[in-house]
Amino acid sequence: MDLEGLEVEEREREDFAGYKLRPTLIVYARSEEDVVRVVKYARERRIPLVPWGAGTSLTGATSCEGCILLDLSKMDKILEINDVDWYVRVQPGVNLARLNEELERKGFFLPPDPASSFLCSVGGAVVEGSGGMRAVKYGSFKEWVLAVRVVLADGTAVKLGEPLRKNRAGYDLVHLMVGSEGTLGVLTEAWLRITPLPRKKVITVMAFLRDSEAAANVILGLRKARVLPEFSEYMDVDVIKALNRHLSAGLKESEGGVLLIAVEEDQLDDVLNVVKVNSQELVMAEGEEAEKLYSLRAQAAIALKAEAAGAKFLAEDVVVPVSKLPEAMMKLKQMETKYGVRMPVIAHIGDGNLHPNIMVREDASATQLFEEVARMAVEMGGSVTGEHGVGVQKVNVMREQVLRSNGERVLSLMLGIKRLFDPEGILNPGKYVEAAAASRRLT
Ligand SMILES: Cc1cc2nc3c(=O)[nH]c(=O)nc-3n(C[C@H](O)[C@H](O)[C@H](O)COP(=O)(O)OP(=O)(O)OC[C@H]3O[C@@H](n4cnc5c(N)ncnc54)[C@H](O)[C@@H]3O)c2cc1C
């Protein structure tokens, strides 16, 4: 087995979060057959193989030293949009925003919308189980993947699942792939559920808040009022300042930050009742104006990266139960004071998913603060990751969470799954479950 005829490159890469990748070779796949060849080639030579979609992982999930980096960005065809069975069949390298543009032309959409959707690949979003702004109403990729084709570690290509809403034939291997971070197989095709575009008018309410706890109180109020928004996103004042500075957003810099809540028209009064008592000022937007606000929110991490200006940039992704949001917001402020740093918060606040961003020059205190935030979430019955995954960045805290919440037996079951799928440890080794289990020497 060789790589003759495949497009290859020898150079280094860096992902969005700044992790350096030093592969021995980058190989571009254009078909599933190419993927099979590369996997067999890597396996024969015992070379680690790391799949690459678009490199927007925030956790070092594509980092590699001496690996073969399998670039799937050229497998970018939308193979079928089925407007009766309501699915789309795609290759992994399709850009997620492009896919939604195509779907919109036919009156459909694929709701999970990570803020990186204009950059990331569908394959990357599936294997990361990505969430994003609309997850509060529609869930993450977990809820939208029907079936996949995968090349396994021995080079066999298999199809898992069927493009059906209901299918109980066997263990659910499809959803084992969702969130597997390239450690169980290489995704070469996916059937994703699609749904008609909403027909009711949607209005975005922008609330300027007194403080960050007010944002949490609005969310609690909406839950009690049984309001399910299209999205509910929070950005604190430092995020707004970064957007103004780097993207000329022109947003008012109110001390408590900004909450964006989009709802169908018939729920607007309920939203206003809750928001008014917690905010200093309100603005309502529709159409292009609302889209601009949504797009600014999507670019918040880009603005923060510019703000970090080369400093260490660690994006947290913790989840807390919604009922614990006020406590979590208060504790984040206390940690800022304790460490003497600003920790700008972007949040999919409606589902308790918080992204405090740590931007400091000194490595040791960054890691310490990072782990303290993650532990706070676990202690509240939450999670160290809602959507960004684990990669290399969250190995320790993921281990702590699983051991505390689920137990050692569960971590060793997870390791067993990795070994079953990849007995020789070729696929994206030394990360995620394997690394979390190894550090406790589970066998
Ligand atoms: C500005 C910004 C905003 C973001 N906002 C969000 C957000 O709101 N919500 C969210 O969930 N995430 C978010 N992310 C994180 C990230 O964008 C998502 O996880 C994204 O879906 C990853 O896609 P990718 O194509 O870039 O994957 P990559 O970064 O290339 O890869 C991610 C992982 O998937 C593996 N992989 C990639 N393709 C395949 C394949 N075909 N088969 C097997 N394994 C594969 C890689 O090996 C790696 O382990 C954000 C990132 C950025 C930079």
Side-chain angles (χ1 to χ4, degrees):
M1 184 61 64
D2 61 36
L3 299 176
E4 205 185 313
L6 293 180
E7 188 180 339
V8 297
E9 251 177 24
E10 282 179 41
R11 66 181 173 85
E12 297 188 350
R13 269 191 191 172
E14 192 176 303
D15 69 9
F16 181 91
Y19 286 89
K20 304 273 183 285
L21 283 64
R22 298 187 184 85
T24 47
L25 211 55
I26 300 173
V27 187
Y28 292 88
R30 289 180 185 271
S31 64
E32 184 175 272
E33 293 70 42
D34 290 352
V35 174
V36 169
R37 281 180 64 193
V38 180
V39 171
K40 286 187 173 168
Y41 178 91
R43 181 171 175 245
E44 276 171 18
R45 289 161 184 75
R46 298 283 188 276
I47 306 173
L49 184 128
V50 178
W52 166 283
T56 65
S57 158
L58 296 170
T59 63
T62 58
S63 60
C64 91
E65 193 68 53
C67 73
I68 291 178
L69 193 70
L70 179 56
D71 188 321
L72 295 140
S73 60
K74 297 193 178 180
M75 286 178 72
D76 63 351
K77 292 193 186 60
I78 299 172
L79 301 167
E80 181 189 0
I81 298 177
N82 190 317
D83 61 3
V84 176
D85 293 320
W86 286 8
Y87 68 75
V88 61
R89 182 162 71 96
V90 290
Q91 290 188 319
V94 174
N95 172 266
L96 183 53
R98 175 169 84 86
L99 175 60
N100 260 319
E101 278 161 26
E102 292 295 325
L103 290 172
E104 266 178 43
R105 280 193 202 112
K106 296 190 185 278
F108 288 95
F109 75 131
L110 172 63
D113 195 24
S116 56
S117 135
F118 64 108
L119 298 169
C120 77
S121 74
V122 175
V126 169
V127 300
E128 286 288 309
S130 295
M133 273 92 73
R134 292 193 287 239
V136 65
K137 178 161 183 181
Y138 300 97
S140 68
F141 262 83
K142 273 190 235 162
E143 276 95 336
W144 295 86
V145 183
L146 297 170
V148 289
R149 283 191 67 82
V150 175
V151 175
L152 301 171
D154 65 359
T156 316
V158 293
K159 178 178 170 224
L160 305 175
E162 297 297 335
L164 300 170
R165 273 305 286 275
K166 291 184 167 177
N167 176 18
R168 277 283 292 103
Y171 293 127
D172 189 349
L173 301 183
V174 178
H175 289 91
L176 198 51
M177 287 298 151
V178 180
S180 62
E181 303 193 11
T183 63
L184 300 181
V186 182
L187 190 103
T188 53
E189 220 169 282
W191 287 257
L192 306 166
R193 195 152 71 82
I194 56 176
T195 197
L197 288 165
R199 290 181 187 222
K200 289 187 189 161
K201 189 152 90 172
V202 171
I203 295 167
T204 300
V205 177
M206 177 160 61
F208 297 93
L209 305 161
R210 276 189 300 277
D211 53 46
S212 60
E213 281 176 70
N217 288 330
V218 170
I219 300 304
L220 265 58
L222 293 180
R223 298 286 273 223
K224 286 187 182 146
R226 317 265 185 281
V227 174
L228 184 58
E230 297 294 308
F231 60 84
S232 45
E233 295 290 311
Y234 174 68
M235 296 181 280
D236 80 5
V237 67
D238 291 325
V239 179
I240 301 294
K241 282 179 183 163
L243 279 167
N244 285 344
R245 207 163 9 238
H246 302 286
L247 298 175
S248 308
L251 294 171
K252 187 179 150 187
E253 297 175 2
S254 69
E255 201 40 47
V258 158
L259 194 55
L260 296 175
I261 302 170
V263 275
E264 288 174 346
E265 210 173 11
D266 52 9
Q267 300 181 66
L268 183 62
D269 286 344
D270 289 342
V271 172
L272 294 179
N273 286 339
V274 175
V275 171
K276 270 180 193 156
V277 289
N278 287 289
S279 56
Q280 294 172 323
E281 192 185 328
L282 287 181
V283 177
M284 278 185 271
E286 289 175 48
E288 267 180 36
E289 208 188 331
E291 276 166 32
K292 188 183 162 212
L293 292 174
Y294 188 79
S295 150
L296 282 172
R297 159 59 193 93
Q299 294 177 78
I302 311 265
L304 283 183
K305 194 180 175 191
E307 187 74 6
K312 187 106 182 151
F313 180 62
L314 300 175
E316 285 277 7
D317 173 37
V318 294
V319 184
V320 299
V322 171
S323 55
K324 302 270 172 65
L325 275 171
E327 187 186 342
M329 295 305 248
M330 188 187 68
K331 285 194 166 156
L332 289 175
K333 286 272 159 243
Q334 287 169 352
M335 283 185 226
E336 280 190 329
T337 312
K338 178 176 161 190
Y339 284 83
V341 294
R342 299 290 273 188
M343 203 166 30
V345 177
I346 310 171
H348 307 302
I349 193 164
D351 49 25
N353 190 185
L354 308 173
H355 300 313
N357 293 279
I358 298 166
M359 305 188 302
V360 292
R361 302 239 158 243
E362 203 241 305
D363 260 25
S365 66
T367 308
Q368 207 183 331
L369 176 53
F370 188 84
E371 296 196 349
E372 197 165 324
V373 173
R375 271 182 209 117
M376 170 201 80
V378 175
E379 278 159 20
M380 287 181 177
S383 175
V384 301
T385 174
E387 51 180 27
H388 295 170
V390 172
V392 292
Q393 186 195 44
K394 284 186 223 121
V395 165
N396 290 337
V397 286
M398 174 198 140
R399 186 187 68 235
E400 285 179 31
Q401 178 184 330
V402 176
L403 291 177
R404 180 185 166 119
S405 307
N406 311 109
E408 189 155 335
R409 177 86 179 104
V410 173
L411 191 53
S412 96
L413 277 175
M414 289 183 187
L415 180 64
I417 289 169
K418 166 67 179 167
R419 288 187 176 157
L420 179 68
F421 274 82
D422 182 19
E424 280 137 331
I426 301 295
L427 295 174
N428 213 359
K431 298 174 193 163
Y432 194 23
V433 166
E434 193 186 7
S439 51
R440 284 287 303 241
R441 284 194 287 286
L442 293 175
T443 52

